[in-house]
Amino acid sequence: MNGRPISGASAHARKRAGRRGAKGLTAVVSGATLLLVAACGGGSDSGDGGGGKDGADAGKPSQAVVTIAPKDGADAVATDGALRISAAKGKLTEVTVKDPKGRTVPGKIVADGAKWSPERHLASGTKYKVHAIAKDSDGRVAAKDTSFTTLVPKNTFVGQFTPEDGTKVGVGMPFSVRFTRGITAPDAVEKAIDIKTEPSVPVEGHWFGNDRLDFRPEKYWKPGTKVTVTMNLDGVEGRPGVYGKQAKTLRFEIGRSQVSVVDVKTKQMTVKRDGKVIKKIPVTTGKPGYETWNGQMVISERLKVTRMNGETVGYGGEYDIKDVPHAQRLSTSGTFIHGNYWGGGAFGNYNASHGCIGLRDVRGGYDKNVSAAWFFDRSMIGDVVVVKNSNDKIIAPDNGYNGWNMSWEKWKA
């Protein structure tokens, strides 16, 4: 596209006018006067551009040519890969891409000014305006303005996430997203989720299957850490023809550190708050054949009372307790640490459960002085319970929010 001239009357035109004035005077003035007029004519000849090629070319249009794809007025444009901006016979100096709310698409000029590349995908069903400027080798400006509208997807997905916006959680809580459709473009989806922390700490994502993505640091969160998550999924093609429709920013905070260690052999749980032991509690864990998982487990759900039925976890009709008090979930498969009012003398003496960790309680859970109530009242989502010395294997990292059982190297891989 031809640019707009940026100068007024050319230095060349002023030069010609100056020479005509000098010629008319030489017929009537002396030689001394002629020298003076010639000197004045020489000053006019230099012009604003200093004379020469620059002055002569100042009135010409820029040779730079700006090209923008998609074409002006295009509709149903792809959200990724379709936006391309380049310059020929010049270099790009400014590119702005904005949506109707004035939000700019981040990008950068690359290839020594020949191209501009967006740093992320575009939102779906959105009209964008593009303004691009380039300069040729003589510094003359060419500009181009276009607009286009991205596609409106027929099939979409969202991410269902935890923890919730504005919550405070324990040091073991990852940021976990479960997608409503199986993802076949994991890199694009993961790139669209940005996590920043204060204080800063490296956070990496790990996929469990094609529908779940968890983020965590190498070690437990530092107490007091503030986490900001930007989910820029709107317009991401997560699988062919299926696009994200989510654009959300949320924040959560890490509370105090509480890590409780259950020793199956001694049948004791040691509760540590910010690294200091605050209580030791007698427990009962899984009996032979129903051993409790080993490993690091994160509290993911808290229920003051719940029903536990063996049929829901593959134990047939072995038990059906309709009023289990102070129950806190440790695994998706049904492992809880909970109050137990039927255990008699098991606590601290022998293991009698079907895999859960039982703490002494009373029916109805009304007594705040019993172990289960004490522990429940001092726990929060994201607290860690570690089980050791069980005859069972280590719990799978995706069975609950228990990715801490995976090494940092495997997590990043």
Side-chain angles (χ1 to χ4, degrees):
M1 174 179 178
N2 291 332
R4 298 187 296 271
I6 61 173
S7 65
S10 71
H12 182 64
R14 294 195 300 273
K15 180 177 177 182
R16 287 175 18 196
R19 285 178 174 171
R20 284 199 300 270
K23 182 177 180 181
L25 286 173
T26 53
V28 295
V29 297
S30 66
T33 306
L34 176 60
L35 292 174
L36 176 61
V37 174
C40 292
S44 175
D45 191 35
S46 64
D48 295 337
K53 177 183 176 183
D54 290 342
D57 291 346
K60 292 183 178 181
S62 175
Q63 297 300 302
V65 178
V66 178
T67 302
I68 300 175
K71 65 182 181 180
D72 189 27
D75 199 7
V77 173
T79 56
D80 194 18
L83 177 58
R84 299 184 298 274
I85 302 172
S86 61
K89 299 181 181 180
K91 295 182 178 182
L92 292 167
T93 59
E94 179 185 340
V95 176
T96 305
V97 182
K98 289 186 176 182
D99 68 11
K101 294 183 179 180
R103 296 173 298 200
T104 59
V105 175
K108 55 185 176 182
I109 296 172
V110 296
D112 195 27
K115 297 180 180 179
W116 179 89
S117 296
E119 294 180 350
R120 62 170 177 80
H121 64 281
L122 306 175
S124 60
T126 302
K127 184 175 182 179
Y128 287 95
K129 292 184 177 181
V130 183
H131 176 66
I133 297 175
K135 288 184 179 181
D136 65 13
S137 59
D138 291 321
R140 293 171 300 197
V141 176
K144 189 169 185 178
D145 293 273
T146 65
S147 64
F148 65 90
T149 304
T150 52
L151 58 82
V152 177
K154 294 181 179 179
N155 300 298
T156 60
F157 72 89
V158 297
Q160 299 167 340
F161 56 86
T162 188
E164 295 291 331
D165 185 26
T167 56
K168 182 177 287 189
V169 295
V171 296
M173 191 67 204
F175 180 72
S176 181
V177 189
R178 188 172 290 277
F179 300 99
T180 54
R181 299 288 296 270
I183 300 300
T184 59
D187 290 344
V189 171
E190 185 171 343
K191 183 181 177 182
I193 301 177
D194 180 62
I195 299 183
K196 289 183 170 59
T197 67
E198 183 184 342
S200 179
V201 62
V203 177
E204 297 285 345
H206 184 86
W207 286 88
F208 294 111
N210 65 357
D211 62 354
R212 176 179 163 187
L213 173 61
D214 284 12
F215 293 88
R216 70 166 176 90
E218 181 177 2
K219 299 179 180 179
Y220 298 148
W221 299 100
K222 182 179 178 181
T225 299
K226 296 180 180 179
V227 184
T228 301
V229 182
T230 302
M231 299 180 68
N232 185 32
L233 294 171
D234 187 4
V236 177
E237 191 172 17
R239 59 182 299 129
V242 183
Y243 294 81
K245 63 174 185 178
Q246 214 167 6
K248 183 177 181 63
T249 297
L250 61 108
R251 297 170 179 85
F252 62 93
E253 184 177 349
I254 308 303
R256 79 292 176 274
S257 170
Q258 183 165 296
V259 179
S260 304
V261 179
V262 175
D263 189 328
V264 171
K265 284 187 177 180
T266 64
K267 303 162 191 67
Q268 297 287 324
M269 179 171 72
T270 302
V271 183
K272 287 187 176 181
R273 175 76 61 85
D274 296 323
K276 297 180 180 180
V277 176
I278 60 172
K279 195 174 183 65
K280 289 190 174 182
I281 302 173
V283 300
T284 183
T285 66
K287 60 188 176 182
Y290 298 90
E291 285 85 356
T292 304
W293 302 106
N294 281 298
Q296 304 168 73
M297 307 181 211
V298 175
I299 294 175
S300 59
E301 183 181 18
R302 286 164 39 83
L303 304 164
K304 285 193 173 183
V305 62
T306 189
R307 179 180 179 180
M308 291 187 176
N309 189 334
E311 292 183 355
T312 63
V313 291
Y315 290 153
E318 292 191 31
Y319 62 88
D320 184 4
I321 306 170
K322 299 179 180 179
D323 56 353
V324 178
H326 299 124
Q328 301 184 87
R329 182 182 291 274
L330 300 177
S331 77
T332 306
S333 61
T335 307
F336 281 78
I337 182 167
H338 62 77
N340 179 327
Y341 61 81
W342 57 90
F347 310 101
N349 295 313
Y350 58 91
N351 293 316
S353 81
H354 285 76
C356 289
I357 303 165
L359 286 70
R360 189 185 304 277
D361 211 330
V362 294
R363 189 165 195 166
Y366 61 85
D367 188 348
K368 296 297 182 181
N369 296 316
V370 294
S371 299
W374 182 95
F375 184 70
F376 187 91
D377 291 343
R378 288 162 179 79
S379 298
M380 66 168 56
I381 297 292
D383 281 350
V384 180
V385 176
V386 182
V387 178
K388 66 179 185 178
N389 294 325
S390 173
N391 290 328
D392 208 339
K393 58 186 178 180
I394 294 176
I395 192 168
D398 62 342
N399 188 0
Y401 301 122
N402 300 325
W404 303 105
N405 296 289
M406 182 182 294
S407 71
W408 185 235
E409 288 71 26
K410 288 185 178 180
W411 181 270
K412 292 188 295 182

